[in-house]
Amino acid sequence: MKDYIDPLLAHPVGMMIGYFSVAVLQLIVFLWCFELVTRYKCWDEIKRGNMAAAMATGGKIFGICNIMRFSIEAHSTVYESLGWSLIGFMLLLAAYFLFEFLTPVFNIDREIASDNRAIGFISMIISISLSYVIGAAIYN
């Protein structure tokens, strides 16, 4: 299989399609992982019009894609960038758990499920901000 894919990746258009395909697949898998660990169902809440869930999910999407962007810029092959973006996602996921742990005054997931937009906004900003820190570490 690698003997078939590597010649395609040698061409700039093939490389772009390779990066894009891997990024979309990773985004789907990583969002699914977030869906597993949250106590609310992101897409059901968004469908109901829950802006806090939309902001938190949007921040996760941006954060994941930003980490992938840094991974692509920093590494010369699709395979390397895939590995580094996986590590970056694990750090973003750890940050999610840390955010939940460091706010014992209220439950983040419960607040987002009840459409607390302030919590949704902070969650979005944390995901976006930390994706830049993670990305810079990957790029270095």
Side-chain angles (χ1 to χ4, degrees), residues 1 95 105 111 118 135:
M1 181 72 137
V105 177
E111 293 295 323

Side-chain angles (χ1 to χ4, degrees), residues 3-137:
D3 293 334
Y4 176 73
I5 293 174
D6 283 346
L8 294 174
L9 295 176
H11 191 275
V13 174
M15 181 69 88
M16 181 185 67
I17 291 169
Y19 279 125
F20 179 77
S21 301
V22 168
V24 169
L25 275 171
Q26 281 187 307
L27 181 61
I28 291 167
V29 169
F30 295 163
L31 284 174
W32 177 75
C33 291
F34 268 122
E35 186 82 17
L36 288 177
V37 299
T38 56
R39 293 187 183 104
Y40 60 94
K41 298 296 174 208
C42 301
W43 301 107
D44 291 344
E45 291 296 327
I46 292 168
K47 185 177 178 183
R48 283 192 2 212
N50 183 331
M51 280 301 295
M55 287 186 285
T57 303
K60 291 171 189 169
I61 291 168
F62 184 96
I64 291 166
C65 290
N66 194 39
I67 288 168
M68 286 188 240
R69 176 188 146 263
F70 278 102
S71 298
I72 290 168
E73 283 182 357
H75 301 285
S76 60
T77 69
V78 171
Y79 308 111
E80 287 177 358
S81 68
L82 190 146
W84 280 102
S85 59
L86 177 62
I87 293 167
F89 167 72
M90 298 302 261
L91 290 172
L92 196 62
L93 189 61
Y96 165 80
F97 288 121
L98 192 61
F99 178 43
E100 183 77 45
F101 176 74
L102 291 176
T103 53
V105 177
F106 48 83
N107 182 292
I108 302 297
D109 284 347
R110 192 174 309 130
E111 293 295 323
I112 290 173
S114 66
D115 201 15
N116 183 333
R117 294 174 186 185
I119 301 297
F121 181 76
I122 290 296
S123 179
M124 176 183 72
I125 294 302
I126 286 172
S127 293
I128 291 170
S129 300
L130 288 178
S131 76
Y132 279 97
V133 174
I134 294 165

